Amino acid sequence: MFYVPAVDQLYAAYVALATELSVAFDRIDTLERLLETQSGLSREAIREYQPTDSISAERQQHRAELAERLLRPFRDFREQRIARANRLLDTPPSE
């Protein structure tokens, strides 16, 4: 797309992040609106919520999985470059 592999990888990560963030914002908005209209729970109460240790651990796991998805294009690119370099190093020079 950009004719520079590193820029392509950065673009792929950016698009993945933007997609994840957009979906998350939509879901948050939907949940807050449903809670407000159906349970009377205000958005202020939601903002002031403090998660338990167990919930914090779940959230940390989710963040780690998200980071893995976002960094995967960079790791894949690096691994491809290393594999290519290793193949070139293993090939005897032509005479």
Side-chain angles (χ1 to χ4, degrees), residues 16-58:
L17 178 59
T19 301
E20 292 280 345
L21 193 55
S22 177
V23 169
F25 282 155
D26 288 351
R27 290 181 61 105
I28 291 166
D29 180 66
T30 299
L31 291 170
E32 287 181 353
R33 290 174 190 275
L34 286 171
L35 285 169
E36 223 170 11
T37 59
Q38 294 182 8
S39 74
L41 184 62
S42 71
R43 290 182 184 212
E44 182 179 341
I46 293 169
R47 281 190 299 273
E48 293 174 357
Y49 171 76
Q50 295 295 317
T52 64
D53 289 343
S54 174
I55 291 170
S56 292
E58 281 183 48

Side-chain angles (χ1 to χ4, degrees), residues 2-3 13 15-17 28 36-37 40 44 51 56 64 68 73-74 76 79 82 85-86 93:
F2 291 102
Y3 306 107
V15 170
L17 178 59
I28 291 166
E36 223 170 11
T37 59
E44 182 179 341
S56 292
E68 172 59 32
F74 297 104
D76 291 348
E79 289 172 8
I82 290 170
N86 286 338

Side-chain angles (χ1 to χ4, degrees), residues 47-86:
R47 281 190 299 273
E48 293 174 357
Y49 171 76
Q50 295 295 317
T52 64
D53 289 343
S54 174
I55 291 170
S56 292
E58 281 183 48
R59 289 178 177 180
Q60 177 57 36
Q61 178 63 35
H62 177 75
R63 284 191 293 272
E65 291 167 1
L66 176 60
E68 172 59 32
R69 286 194 304 274
L70 294 175
L71 294 173
R72 187 174 301 130
F74 297 104
R75 289 189 183 124
D76 291 348
F77 176 74
R78 186 190 74 195
E79 289 172 8
Q80 290 168 4
R81 298 294 289 223
I82 290 170
R84 182 173 180 258
N86 286 338

